[in-house]
Amino acid sequence: MEENLVQLTKTGASSVIKIAIFGPESTGKTTLATQLADYYKTVWVPEFARDYLQEKLDSGRGICDIDDMLPIAYGQTKLENEGVLKANRYLFCDTNLLVTKVFSELYYNFCDSLLDKAARSHQYDLFFLTDIDVPWEDDGLRDSPDGREDVFGAFKQSLIDNKKPFITISGDKETRLKIAVDIIEDLTEALQMGLSSADFVQIYEHGIPIENIKRQLEIFNEGIPKTVLVNPATHNHGILKLSETDFEQKAVFFDENKSKLQLLKFVPASGAATRMFKFLSTFLNDFDLRNETINAYINRKKDTELPLFIVGMDKFPFFIEIDKKLHEIYPDFDTFKRDYKNYYFIKTLLASEYFDFANKPKGILPFHKYPNKISAPIEEHLYECAFYATSNDKSSLHLTVSENHQEQFESIINQVKENVEIKSNSKIAVSYSYQKKETDTIAVDLNNSPFRDENDKLVFRPGGHGALIENLNAIDADLVFVKNIDNVIQNNIHQISFYKKALAGILMELQSQIFEYMNALDTEEMTIEGIGEITLFLKNQLNIEVNADFSKFKLKNQISKLKELLDRPIRICGMVKNEGEPGGGPFWVMGADGRRTLQIVETSQVDLNNAEQLKILSNATHFNPVDLVCGLRNYQGQRFDLKKFIDLDSGFIVYKNHGGKDLKAYELPGLWNGAMANWLTVFVEVPLFTFNPVKTVNDLLKPAHQPL
């Protein structure tokens, strides 16, 4: 018996990658196996049972029965072992022991223990589960087409139960071959990287391209090169400073020409408000209500945020609602000592069974208190959208949200949209998208090996806001306003809109000139004088200098270079004077090609151990409020592929924790940092009042978020 088991499970020592084609009768297994063997110039293992049962039928010994299961298994294994010796890199098996096991259980409700054990232990690098989306064909040996769904389900469940790595293959035979080849190429890459077949299937099902995983693992091992700062961008040296008259002219130009354009406002809104209430969550975790006073806690923790919150508590737009709930929960609430009142207010604010503010999306929280209503950021964005992103009485608002939060956004928008439309005399189309799972990134441990959870599964993490370049890339609009969800105010919406329109006007004027130059470069009439005019435009208007030896290029090469420099998406970025807010700023940086470009740089991208770099960073005069206007089409009206303009070397490595274990995560180049690094970029100073983010809940106490 032991000798039989060895015979069944023997596969031979080999580097051959074995692919099992697995599935019910008449699902294209043989077709796919022969196609793949032909494509890879290798051999395939035919189905032993077919010839075996045909010979039995022809000899008059009857049809298949339970006693045939082990002979079929022996014969199939022998063919497979012989195939491994002949294979060229890959071996494709038309069937396998697990198929025999499943048929034995389906038809006879029994499986020999030897066959069962061998089928479970028999290993393949991957199973292709062939779908039942092809016609059933009668060949005289097959059972019947009835119940195909149930049989397919049994086959699929056997793979799951036996923890076999599998991918379902569907479509016609040409489609199946293409899909299978792509998978095999990626599987080969994954195995060479030291990943297992199970890892590969997990990556495939997550939708992450294997080349992304390979690159991310290389980044963890090699590190991310720090951005090399040359100078801060300052007035008249990278930052455009306009007079009020100039701003008015740009805003008027926008209003006069916007009817020709499709406008959209793009708001990243997927984040939860966890950081906004972090100091309150810390307080609830660390404060001992029965053994210390809140004042003692404040002194012990040197907490400057908590006293500000408590003093201003009644000025928050959510105060009345929470106070009402507290009186419902505690009928004698008014008799509580002050510390108890403050503690239970904070606890109710964050408790999952009550308001749970820290776990809700920031965009739906109460931000502003009006005489007859409380407004969330999303409502303020609706009003802004109507004010400056309207063309021909139509405007569009696009929100990137978490899928499980969309209904909460829709609930608020459905309540207020009609009123906003009436007041603005426009129709607002609201659309949503989610951060794509395929932009998630793999996590590693502190030794840069793939991090695994308690079930030995790989761990993937969201790729950060840089992943939203994919969402922006899918937008069908000429001109897109970008603004963060928390950067809205209660007052001065007309002035806010004025500066947004002015930024759009700057973009439209520059874009008009760029398109004119691009069309001229397409003709055969371009002169040396015309080349000179364009190079001056690049330098003076777009802060781009051509190579020092540019004048030595042949005319056709000069034209080609200018087209390369001009034919890019464009962004106009509002910049405010730096008053100590955390975040990125505008700098001249040195690229890998030796060219200086304007970039928005985060502190984490700079080598803080380099005294010279630290000095440049500290001399920054302006701050990035994420106030962007973007042009997404080229001079021929075609949408740019924004993924072609990303600086892939400008991501971030961050340290996180999963299940109590430390890990390293990779965040993609930021949406307005590396993801837009190779765009045409113009920085414009805008007034400080246009920037009023709510990073912590205490920011709601600032004048911009309080009633007049």
Side-chain angles (χ1 to χ4, degrees), residues 301-538:
K301 301 285 287 190
K302 296 181 174 57
D303 190 326
T304 58
E305 295 275 14
L306 185 59
L308 184 61
F309 178 87
I310 291 173
V311 169
M313 190 180 288
D314 61 345
K315 292 183 174 62
F316 287 111
F318 46 76
F319 174 80
I320 293 176
E321 189 177 3
I322 293 178
D323 186 64
K324 180 181 177 182
K325 176 59 70 174
L326 284 167
H327 283 83
E328 291 177 9
I329 302 170
Y330 311 104
D332 57 344
F333 183 73
D334 287 335
T335 67
F336 285 12
K337 294 180 180 178
R338 180 170 299 278
D339 272 9
Y340 278 71
K341 286 182 177 180
N342 292 333
Y343 173 81
Y344 283 113
F345 183 95
I346 296 169
K347 186 174 182 180
T348 304
L349 177 77
L350 300 184
S352 58
E353 64 270 31
Y354 296 118
F355 293 88
D356 199 24
F357 276 3
N359 292 314
K360 290 182 177 178
K362 192 182 287 189
I364 69 165
L365 296 180
F367 263 36
H368 300 144
K369 182 180 179 181
Y370 291 93
N372 58 351
K373 65 174 182 176
I374 303 293
S375 289
I378 183 55
E379 184 175 352
E380 306 288 13
H381 277 288
L382 270 175
Y383 274 104
E384 281 197 17
C385 187
F387 266 85
Y388 58 71
T390 297
S391 174
N392 301 312
D393 299 326
K394 294 179 181 178
S395 56
S396 297
L397 175 64
H398 184 86
L399 304 165
T400 62
V401 300
S402 298
E403 190 170 358
N404 59 322
H405 290 156
Q406 181 172 336
E407 286 187 5
Q408 298 176 67
F409 280 93
E410 289 177 334
S411 176
I412 294 176
I413 287 172
N414 290 339
Q415 293 175 37
V416 302
K417 187 160 82 82
E418 183 178 0
N419 187 49
V420 176
E421 289 177 332
I422 291 172
K423 288 186 176 181
S424 63
N425 193 31
S426 66
K427 288 291 182 182
I428 306 175
V430 181
S431 57
Y432 303 86
S433 64
Y434 317 126
Q435 188 166 313
K436 297 180 179 179
K437 285 184 66 178
E438 56 263 36
T439 63
D440 289 354
T441 61
I442 192 169
V444 298
D445 61 24
L446 299 186
N447 294 317
N448 296 326
S449 297
F451 185 93
R452 298 180 184 278
D453 63 15
E454 61 278 7
N455 298 314
D456 202 35
K457 294 282 190 180
L458 299 174
V459 172
F460 303 108
R461 294 184 56 84
H465 68 69
L468 298 182
I469 196 69
E470 295 269 1
N471 304 64
L472 188 61
N473 200 37
I475 294 297
D476 185 15
D478 300 299
L479 191 149
V480 176
F481 298 91
V482 179
K483 197 173 186 185
N484 271 344
I485 187 66
D486 62 348
N487 186 16
V488 288
I489 61 174
Q490 180 155 352
N491 313 304
N492 293 326
I493 190 170
H494 289 87
Q495 289 179 281
I496 294 288
S497 300
F498 167 75
Y499 286 102
K500 279 296 234 187
K501 289 181 178 182
L503 293 179
I506 295 169
L507 185 145
M508 290 170 66
E509 287 186 341
L510 287 172
Q511 196 176 59
S512 176
Q513 184 62 74
I514 291 167
F515 290 177
E516 183 180 321
Y517 285 144
M518 286 298 299
N519 283 308
L521 289 166
D522 276 347
T523 71
E524 297 180 358
E525 301 175 2
M526 179 55 60
T527 64
I528 295 297
E529 291 74 17
I531 294 290
E533 180 183 333
I534 296 174
T535 56
L536 280 176
F537 172 80
L538 281 167

Side-chain angles (χ1 to χ4, degrees), residues 59-75:
S59 66
R61 290 184 288 119
I63 61 173
C64 182
D65 60 39
I66 192 169
D67 293 332
D68 294 313
M69 294 297 102
L70 275 180
I72 289 173
Y74 293 141

Side-chain angles (χ1 to χ4, degrees), residues 416-708:
V416 302
K417 187 160 82 82
E418 183 178 0
N419 187 49
V420 176
E421 289 177 332
I422 291 172
K423 288 186 176 181
S424 63
N425 193 31
S426 66
K427 288 291 182 182
I428 306 175
V430 181
S431 57
Y432 303 86
S433 64
Y434 317 126
Q435 188 166 313
K436 297 180 179 179
K437 285 184 66 178
E438 56 263 36
T439 63
D440 289 354
T441 61
I442 192 169
V444 298
D445 61 24
L446 299 186
N447 294 317
N448 296 326
S449 297
F451 185 93
R452 298 180 184 278
D453 63 15
E454 61 278 7
N455 298 314
D456 202 35
K457 294 282 190 180
L458 299 174
V459 172
F460 303 108
R461 294 184 56 84
H465 68 69
L468 298 182
I469 196 69
E470 295 269 1
N471 304 64
L472 188 61
N473 200 37
I475 294 297
D476 185 15
D478 300 299
L479 191 149
V480 176
F481 298 91
V482 179
K483 197 173 186 185
N484 271 344
I485 187 66
D486 62 348
N487 186 16
V488 288
I489 61 174
Q490 180 155 352
N491 313 304
N492 293 326
I493 190 170
H494 289 87
Q495 289 179 281
I496 294 288
S497 300
F498 167 75
Y499 286 102
K500 279 296 234 187
K501 289 181 178 182
L503 293 179
I506 295 169
L507 185 145
M508 290 170 66
E509 287 186 341
L510 287 172
Q511 196 176 59
S512 176
Q513 184 62 74
I514 291 167
F515 290 177
E516 183 180 321
Y517 285 144
M518 286 298 299
N519 283 308
L521 289 166
D522 276 347
T523 71
E524 297 180 358
E525 301 175 2
M526 179 55 60
T527 64
I528 295 297
E529 291 74 17
I531 294 290
E533 180 183 333
I534 296 174
T535 56
L536 280 176
F537 172 80
L538 281 167
K539 179 180 180 180
N540 297 332
Q541 301 297 318
L542 297 176
N543 298 290
I544 296 173
E545 293 193 21
V546 297
N547 298 337
D549 58 349
F550 178 77
S551 61
K552 300 177 183 177
F553 291 6
K554 292 181 178 180
L555 181 61
K556 67 176 184 178
N557 293 334
Q558 289 182 334
I559 290 173
S560 177
K561 183 62 178 178
L562 292 179
K563 291 176 74 171
E564 175 197 332
L565 293 174
L566 285 172
D567 196 20
R568 299 166 183 258
I570 183 171
R571 58 175 176 161
I572 310 299
C573 310
M575 293 288 154
V576 297
K577 289 185 177 179
N578 192 340
E579 294 201 347
E581 292 282 356
F587 291 88
W588 289 95
V589 307
M590 185 64 69
D593 59 358
R595 288 178 56 240
R596 294 189 316 155
T597 61
L598 283 174
Q599 303 291 342
I600 297 170
V601 181
E602 304 289 337
T603 301
S604 59
Q605 294 177 270
V606 180
D607 182 2
L608 301 180
N609 294 317
N610 183 310
E612 183 180 348
Q613 291 290 288
L614 190 60
K615 181 179 180 181
I616 296 172
L617 182 69
S618 63
N619 286 336
T621 59
H622 287 73
F623 176 83
N624 163 43
V626 190
D627 198 3
L628 280 65
V629 184
C630 304
L632 305 184
R633 295 191 192 277
N634 67 13
Y635 69 110
Q636 296 174 326
Q638 302 164 328
R639 284 157 56 183
F640 285 107
D641 180 359
L642 303 183
K643 293 181 287 186
K644 293 181 178 179
F645 301 92
I646 300 171
D647 176 5
L648 297 174
D649 292 326
S650 59
F652 307 87
I653 293 177
V654 295
Y655 289 82
K656 300 289 183 179
N657 189 279
H658 181 92
K661 295 181 179 179
D662 292 331
L663 60 78
K664 291 161 68 176
Y666 171 66
E667 292 188 358
L668 300 172
L671 181 59
W672 38 83
N673 308 108
M676 294 181 174
N678 296 317
W679 290 36
L680 299 174
T681 296
V682 175
F683 295 145
V684 181
E685 182 179 285
V686 292
L688 187 59
F689 72 79
T690 63
F691 179 52
N692 293 282
V694 178
K695 300 305 179 186
T696 81
V697 65
N698 284 346
D699 286 332
L700 291 175
L701 299 175
K702 293 179 178 179
H705 299 287
Q706 288 289 309
L708 289 175

Side-chain angles (χ1 to χ4, degrees), residues 73-129:
Y74 293 141
Q76 191 65 49
T77 303
K78 183 173 183 294
L79 287 179
E80 190 174 309
N81 289 338
E82 292 171 351
V84 169
L85 300 176
K86 303 174 184 176
N88 172 30
R89 251 188 116 195
Y90 301 100
L91 181 67
F92 301 103
C93 304
D94 181 8
T95 190
N96 52 77
L97 297 186
L98 196 57
V99 170
T100 310
K101 166 180 158 61
V102 174
F103 272 125
S104 182
E105 292 169 342
L106 276 175
Y107 285 92
Y108 309 113
N109 200 28
F110 170 80
C111 182
D112 185 281
S113 61
L114 184 60
L115 170 58
D116 179 73
K117 185 174 182 179
R120 291 177 186 276
S121 61
H122 214 55
Q123 299 299 315
Y124 297 88
D125 293 287
L126 190 64
F127 285 76
F128 282 145
L129 174 61

